[in-house]
Amino acid sequence: MYAILDIETTGGKYNEEGITEIAIYKYDGHSIVDQFISLINPEREIQPFVINLTGINSQMLRHAPKFYEVAKRIVEITSDCVVVAHNAQFDYRILCMEFRRLGYEFERRTLCTVELAKHLIPGQPTYSLGKLVRALGIPVSDRHRAAGDAQATVKLFKMLMDKDVSKTIIQNNIRLDPKYQLEPKHIDIIADLPSLTGVYYIHKSDGEIIYIGKSKNIKRRINQHFTSTNHKSKKIQQLVSTVTYEATGSELVALLKESEEIKRVRPIFNRALRRTIFTHALFSFKDDQDYMNLKIDVADGRKHPITTFSNRQSGKSFMVKAVEDYKLCQKLVGLYKTKTSCFNYDIKACHGACVQEEAPEQYNKRVEALIDKNSYANKNMVIIDSGRDIDERSAILIKNGVFKGVGFYNLNYQIRNIEVLESIITPMQNNRDTQHIIQSYLRKNKKVKQLIL
């Protein structure tokens, strides 16, 4: 008996994803004998690119069951079954992770239709589900939704079973755990790495650095590189000889060092980070009535932004929260397009800057407070973060609004002025990327200590 399934997730960091939709078809080798299809409230944010891909958004999931409410049904329908999925490693990992959050170890034998197709239908240009079933003439509807993809996988699996004339290939590909097995050299490399925050360098046998990354847990991150099955990871697995690292303690210091090192070394597998890491920015201007307006727009090197964002959606989310925190007008921050009053004014949540009821001077003070909080232009300040040891702290120096570098100091050492700081700082490049890294980090980590000098 087989449980053929597909899962849609929120996207996001490895092992921090959540399920948004699941479809399971119980298949006896001839026909579907049971099925379970459901949206799931993941209780976490869905990444914008996933919303665009699947069409599943938080609004749709508001009243959907949470995973613990459907967990029993999933256990029942997959009981005594081999779990079948297209890229089973991903779906099985996500399911196990969700069950682990409930304190339950979910264990099933698995079968991957990607691996099967490579054995039974060799020579295909690609084995992605959509392109493979199209090439094989298998009809598919509702692509990138769990039910549509699971139905396509059922039809593909039927075809693969027919092609397995000897009835041995499918049997030989059933696994108890679909995780990629580490090679001995990878095990040795991982054994020598610490579970620390820092920057790591992946080297070829001749010493050339082929990839630079940062992680809050270097050992775990390298393990992910060595067990991942995407094209870049497989190339790294083939070429890696050694991994060196620099502990930073602070994630912010690691981000800054990673950015600078990638620009300096230009490793072959870091193409994405050679480019600018943000696309949108926050700008301000005064309108004809002397009110300060805010606008999220495409980042432009000729303009001086207040702060920057990885994408437009991130900027919009920031503005929605700013309206609430600083009692700003939706119209004057570009969130509500109207020639009259904004929606919040109509429900008495806006003081009326949109219809000139609130004086510009009064309204602008709150806008200036937001700008001051989210920009370090012309400021002398130091950001204090974790160090490499328990009695150490890291210091990130900003002088006259310019990032100067990072350093470490002992807790017994008192930072009193900018001259003292400059003596312990290792100089680093100031550019648009470092500004984005610092501002983005401070937005997400409210508890990080900032000293104005």
Side-chain angles (χ1 to χ4, degrees):
M1 199 73 78
Y2 303 95
I4 303 172
L5 60 81
D6 186 78
I7 287 169
E8 302 301 332
T9 73
T10 57
K13 290 183 179 176
Y14 185 87
N15 274 356
E16 291 182 15
E17 311 101 316
I19 295 176
T20 57
E21 187 177 37
I22 187 167
I24 306 173
Y25 293 99
K26 194 168 186 175
Y27 181 66
D28 65 2
H30 304 284
S31 59
I32 294 167
V33 295
D34 194 4
Q35 66 181 52
F36 173 68
I37 303 164
S38 180
L39 289 169
I40 295 175
N41 183 343
E43 301 182 88
R44 64 196 66 220
E45 187 182 349
I46 305 173
Q47 296 297 309
F49 80 91
V50 176
I51 296 172
N52 293 333
L53 183 69
T54 65
I56 299 171
N57 57 48
S58 298
Q59 188 70 27
M60 290 169 61
L61 305 178
R62 184 175 292 177
H63 302 297
K66 296 179 174 64
F67 184 78
Y68 73 86
E69 296 175 280
V70 300
K72 184 181 178 185
R73 177 71 173 123
I74 294 169
V75 170
E76 288 172 348
I77 197 170
T78 60
S79 181
D80 299 321
C81 289
V82 175
V83 168
V84 180
H86 202 73
N87 190 7
Q89 180 182 345
F90 172 79
D91 297 79
Y92 185 69
R93 175 179 70 80
I94 297 290
L95 262 182
C96 290
M97 178 183 67
E98 287 280 19
F99 275 108
R100 211 169 289 124
R101 287 170 183 160
L102 302 178
Y104 179 82
E105 282 300 321
F106 181 80
E107 286 188 6
R108 297 289 185 271
R109 292 175 300 156
T110 63
L111 195 52
C112 179
T113 51
V114 175
E115 292 180 9
L116 281 180
K118 286 178 179 178
H119 281 294
L120 294 164
I121 317 172
Q124 293 295 316
T126 174
Y127 288 87
S128 69
L129 182 62
K131 291 178 180 176
L132 181 61
V133 295
R134 202 176 301 123
L136 298 172
I138 296 171
V140 59
S141 60
D142 228 2
R143 188 76 179 90
H144 297 300
R145 290 296 299 269
D149 285 358
Q151 284 171 359
T153 307
V154 170
K155 292 165 187 170
L156 173 63
F157 186 57
K158 281 183 181 178
M159 181 181 286
L160 293 170
M161 289 185 83
D162 291 340
K163 285 185 175 291
D164 184 18
V165 181
S166 66
K167 305 302 175 194
T168 57
I169 293 175
I170 287 177
Q171 199 60 40
N172 292 340
N173 275 274
I174 293 174
R175 298 184 181 181
L176 184 60
D177 189 334
K179 288 176 185 170
Y180 184 82
Q181 296 299 306
L182 286 167
E183 290 184 20
K185 72 168 182 178
H186 296 155
I187 294 170
D188 292 341
I189 289 169
I190 290 168
D192 292 334
L193 295 172
S195 301
L196 298 173
T197 299
V199 178
Y200 58 87
Y201 305 79
I202 298 178
H203 303 257
K204 285 199 311 184
S205 57
D206 62 0
E208 180 192 343
I209 296 170
I210 57 172
Y211 188 81
I212 297 173
K214 75 89 203 166
S215 178
K216 290 194 280 188
N217 185 326
I218 292 171
K219 183 189 283 283
R220 185 171 65 196
R221 183 70 188 100
I222 295 298
N223 187 71
Q224 289 166 7
H225 281 301
F226 291 169
T227 56
S228 178
T229 56
N230 65 50
H231 179 71
K232 183 174 81 174
S233 293
K234 284 188 171 181
K235 292 293 287 181
I236 287 173
Q237 289 158 23
Q238 288 172 5
L239 295 172
V240 62
S241 175
T242 56
V243 177
T244 57
Y245 66 90
E246 181 183 351
T248 62
S250 158
E251 186 183 7
L252 175 55
V253 174
L255 284 163
L256 292 166
K257 282 186 175 287
E258 176 197 37
S259 177
E260 179 156 292
E261 287 290 83
I262 288 170
K263 286 179 172 62
R264 182 180 67 82
V265 179
R266 298 175 65 81
I268 188 171
F269 293 116
N270 280 110
R271 286 197 183 93
L273 269 174
R274 290 181 200 168
R275 299 188 292 273
T276 300
I277 56 178
F278 59 90
T279 61
H280 288 75
L282 176 65
F283 301 97
S284 69
F285 63 93
K286 278 194 177 180
D287 62 21
D288 295 339
Q289 283 75 42
D290 217 30
Y291 288 94
M292 289 184 74
N293 284 232
L294 296 172
K295 183 181 181 182
I296 302 293
D297 206 348
V298 175
D300 185 338
R302 296 165 296 179
K303 299 176 187 174
H304 296 290
I306 296 160
T307 188
T308 49
F309 306 96
S310 301
N311 52 55
R312 184 180 289 279
Q313 185 60 43
S314 177
K316 188 176 177 183
S317 300
F318 170 83
M319 284 313 313
V320 169
K321 191 168 188 314
V323 165
E324 188 179 330
D325 292 348
Y326 291 87
K327 303 290 181 266
L328 302 182
C329 172
Q330 292 171 307
K331 178 182 175 181
L332 300 189
V333 301
L335 289 179
Y336 194 82
K337 296 195 184 307
T338 176
K339 292 183 179 178
T340 55
S341 59
C342 71
F343 176 76
N344 276 358
Y345 176 79
D346 298 337
I347 60 169
K348 300 192 169 27
C350 169
H351 298 312
C354 43
V355 288
Q356 290 87 56
E357 280 188 14
E358 182 181 19
E361 299 77 19
Q362 206 168 347
Y363 179 79
N364 291 349
K365 279 182 183 175
R366 298 199 299 280
V367 178
E368 286 164 358
L370 177 142
I371 292 171
D372 186 64
K373 175 75 175 173
N374 289 281
S375 170
Y376 54 75
N378 304 317
K379 288 181 184 175
N380 288 323
M381 60 183 282
V382 59
I383 301 160
I384 308 295
D385 208 355
S386 309
R388 297 161 296 189
D389 298 304
I390 197 163
D391 60 348
E392 184 182 68
R393 292 292 178 269
S394 58
I396 295 91
L397 177 62
I398 313 289
K399 185 177 180 181
N400 296 324
V402 175
F403 166 62
K404 290 300 201 180
V406 303
F408 298 93
Y409 68 94
N410 190 280
L411 282 177
N412 297 322
Y413 189 71
Q414 294 297 312
I415 293 180
R416 301 186 187 279
N417 55 50
I418 212 156
E419 286 75 26
V420 171
L421 254 175
E422 285 180 319
S423 68
I424 64 166
I425 289 294
T426 301
M428 291 178 71
Q429 290 291 317
N430 175 66
N431 53 50
R432 296 167 71 205
D433 285 346
T434 57
Q435 290 171 20
H436 171 74
I437 289 166
I438 292 168
Q439 290 172 328
S440 180
Y441 187 82
L442 294 178
R443 278 200 305 272
K444 294 172 185 171
N445 298 272
K446 307 288 186 192
K447 293 180 181 177
V448 172
K449 191 174 180 180
Q450 301 175 51
L451 297 178
I452 305 298
L453 299 171

